Amino acid sequence: MRATTVFKLLMDLPGVTVSDVDFQPAKVVVTVKLRNKKLSCPRCEFTAKARYDTRPVSSSWRHLDLGRWRLEVRADLRRIECPTHGARTEGVPFARASSHFTRDFEDLVGWLATTMDKTALRRLVRIDWDTTGRIIERVMATGLDPARLDNLFVIGADEVSWRKGHSYVTLVSNHDTGKFVWGKEGKDTATLDCFFSELGEERSAQITAISMDMGAAFEKSARKEGHATKAVICFDPFHVVQAGTQALEKVRRGVWQDLRKLPDQDTARRFKGARWCLLRNPGDLSDDESATLRKIKRRGGDLWRAYALKEALRAIFAGDLSEEEVGALLDRFCSRAQRSGMKPFVTLAQTIRKRREGILAAVRLGVNNARHEGLNRRVRLIINRAYGFHSANAALALIMVTLGPIKHVLPHERVLVPNA
Ligand SMILES: [Zn+2]
């Protein structure tokens, strides 16, 4: 068998013939020719017989490694003039538009990124992290289920911070499937407006309930003309408890600032480790953390009272209580928080009173809290892994290819089309 034939079979790239194989130090360069005489636009369905000019564009792509060898595909491409996209280098059937990697290579990286940490991935595939980010963005663009925005009834809108709170992304999840269906950089009314405009009036009108945090931005968007005006706004337990945790965190920071002003820094030093034991659920604490918590209890004061309030709020939603029971407990909680005199909790009580109806709607409709919490925990893990990406879109793409409606097809799983 000739080397060109062997490589055609080994590489299994659609739509090409292999014209040359060249072994170079540490890599194999395989030159291919497109079989289709027609040119196609890389961005759309447009095809043409005539080329735009006669200048060939020398292009190369990295394909899957062959054992220890790096494999590079080369081809001279022609240029096409698309009525929509102008003069462009023609598209190839084995790679996505403007990529220097074959589709097989990208599909593999797209899947590995959902399951493997950054260091391992970089070592295995030998590409840098930002390149990985761009690959994931392309895999997302072609891989997400195109029907993901159809038949949305109960949805959740979430803001997630990435890069230590300086940058945010908004994510929309389908409560029925537990998958994210949409995401965009930003966290304000305009961000969610983009979701509704992509959804269109008809599909937006189908939405029966939206869960969100207690801020005003998302509700404002949902209530706009042509958006989900009839949907029940739900402030789900996850976000209510989160607001309680944030209030506790504010009190803790205040106490910490006061301690730092003391001449004796011993207490302040010991207090430093208190953060996690306060924020974690009591059931998840280690022995050391439980001991710290007992000390905080013995000392009493604002910190302990704030902790007790946060736990009381969490307990309201931990049981399987009816709407009426939750309502009564929330009212009691609000009086307690108000009486505490601690500013973050006084504000929280006001917010909960104002949002009472929406909180009870979430309980009544059973907007699935456990699933929501689980999804949020997984997003946090992905965000941690996405550290180092320089663009929010790459972080967003990593979330979507991991927790969105996507079916990863690896090179060996794809259906072989003989002689394609
Ligand atoms: Zn085009």
Side-chain angles (χ1 to χ4, degrees):
M1 220 186 251
R2 283 186 311 185
T4 49
T5 315
V6 170
F7 271 81
K8 181 179 165 21
L9 288 170
L10 275 178
M11 290 164 54
D12 191 34
L13 293 177
V16 300
T17 54
V18 173
S19 55
D20 187 47
V21 177
D22 182 24
F23 279 75
Q24 296 179 2
K27 72 174 172 185
V28 186
V29 177
V30 178
T31 307
V32 302
K33 280 200 175 83
L34 295 188
R35 284 155 46 136
N36 201 339
K37 292 286 164 264
K38 263 192 176 169
L39 295 82
S40 49
C41 173
R43 299 263 162 211
C44 68
E45 302 287 302
F46 179 77
T47 58
K49 272 186 184 153
R51 57 172 73 186
Y52 172 70
D53 55 15
T54 51
R55 186 162 60 91
V57 187
S58 167
S59 309
S60 67
W61 302 263
R62 177 151 170 221
H63 191 42
L64 300 164
D65 290 348
L66 257 184
R68 62 180 301 280
W69 292 87
R70 190 187 278 255
L71 196 50
E72 195 178 292
V73 181
R74 271 198 195 157
D76 275 343
L77 298 181
R78 303 157 292 179
R79 298 216 297 161
I80 179 176
E81 188 167 33
C82 169
T84 320
H85 300 102
R88 299 223 166 214
T89 304
E90 66 179 323
V92 293
F94 56 84
R96 295 180 174 93
S98 9
S99 173
H100 291 291
F101 300 93
T102 64
R103 188 180 291 266
D104 281 358
F105 185 93
E106 294 195 334
D107 287 344
L108 181 69
V109 170
W111 178 73
L112 284 176
T114 67
T115 54
M116 195 182 244
D117 72 70
K118 187 161 109 181
T119 317
L121 189 139
R122 276 205 313 221
R123 184 169 168 197
L124 179 69
V125 294
R126 297 178 283 176
I127 50 174
D128 68 53
W129 193 233
D130 271 325
T131 306
T132 307
R134 284 190 293 273
I135 290 177
I136 298 169
E137 283 180 57
R138 286 191 291 268
V139 169
M140 178 194 77
T142 55
L144 285 180
D145 180 3
R148 68 190 178 280
L149 296 181
D150 298 338
N151 301 316
L152 293 178
F153 302 110
V154 182
I155 62 169
D158 270 289
E159 56 165 68
V160 182
S161 77
W162 79 289
R163 277 198 181 175
K164 304 230 169 181
H166 294 302
S167 181
Y168 288 84
V169 293
T170 293
L171 295 165
V172 175
S173 59
N174 179 349
H175 273 290
D176 296 325
T177 60
K179 303 244 182 216
F180 288 118
V181 292
W182 188 89
K184 191 178 168 60
E185 188 174 6
K187 61 162 183 169
D188 51 14
T189 305
T191 317
L192 198 62
D193 284 351
C194 295
F195 166 71
F196 286 113
S197 71
E198 211 175 311
L199 203 58
E201 280 196 30
E202 206 174 301
R203 290 188 294 189
S204 297
Q206 284 187 330
I207 295 171
T208 56
I210 310 179
S211 73
M212 55 181 73
D213 64 24
M214 292 190 287
F218 291 161
E219 184 180 17
K220 208 170 144 196
S221 172
R223 283 297 175 245
K224 279 188 187 171
E225 193 62 39
H227 294 181
T229 45
K230 293 205 186 78
V232 180
I233 303 285
C234 300
F235 303 110
D236 54 292
F238 171 80
H239 284 118
V240 179
V241 174
Q242 196 179 46
T245 308
Q246 281 159 359
L248 165 62
E249 180 60 8
K250 277 186 195 143
V251 174
R252 186 196 66 87
R253 269 202 299 261
V255 173
W256 164 242
Q257 293 302 338
D258 289 344
L259 281 178
R260 283 207 332 190
K261 287 180 202 133
L262 292 177
D264 170 25
Q265 281 299 295
D266 248 24
T267 325
R269 216 169 294 130
R270 268 182 281 132
F271 182 74
K272 241 187 152 173
R275 181 163 182 232
W276 294 113
C277 73
L278 289 168
L279 299 185
R280 249 178 222 159
N281 294 340
D284 301 335
L285 294 181
S286 68
D287 288 350
D288 275 0
E289 288 166 336
S290 298
T292 312
L293 195 62
R294 279 196 297 277
K295 269 185 222 153
I296 293 170
K297 184 177 182 180
R298 273 201 301 275
R299 203 180 298 129
D302 274 2
L303 192 59
W304 178 252
R305 289 195 303 140
Y307 177 77
L309 278 169
K310 175 263 220 176
E311 278 303 306
L313 184 59
R314 201 171 64 84
I316 295 175
F317 301 103
D320 199 9
L321 301 180
S322 72
E323 190 185 339
E324 289 71 30
E325 290 166 322
V326 169
L329 288 171
L330 272 180
D331 294 342
R332 262 173 59 190
F333 170 84
C334 288
S335 316
R336 254 182 86 186
Q338 191 85 45
R339 275 200 313 271
S340 79
M342 292 180 284
K343 201 167 169 290
F345 280 93
V346 173
T347 313
L348 177 63
Q350 284 162 355
T351 309
I352 290 178
R353 283 202 178 107
K354 211 169 86 192
R355 301 306 211 182
R356 190 176 188 275
E357 201 185 319
I359 298 171
L360 295 182
V363 175
R364 182 172 66 247
L365 297 174
V367 170
N368 196 331
N369 201 43
R371 176 180 271 179
H372 202 92
E373 247 185 276
L375 207 55
N376 267 279
R377 206 173 304 126
R378 294 180 67 191
V379 167
R380 290 261 45 111
L381 291 175
I382 295 169
I383 293 272
N384 286 342
R385 214 163 359 119
Y387 261 24
F389 277 148
H390 286 94
S391 86
N393 283 339
L396 200 58
L398 186 58
I399 294 170
M400 295 305 281
V401 300
T402 313
L403 301 174
I406 190 167
K407 192 170 180 283
H408 292 277
V409 180
L410 298 181
H412 62 269
E413 291 165 346
R414 122 176 109 72
V415 180
L416 292 179
V417 185
N419 299 319

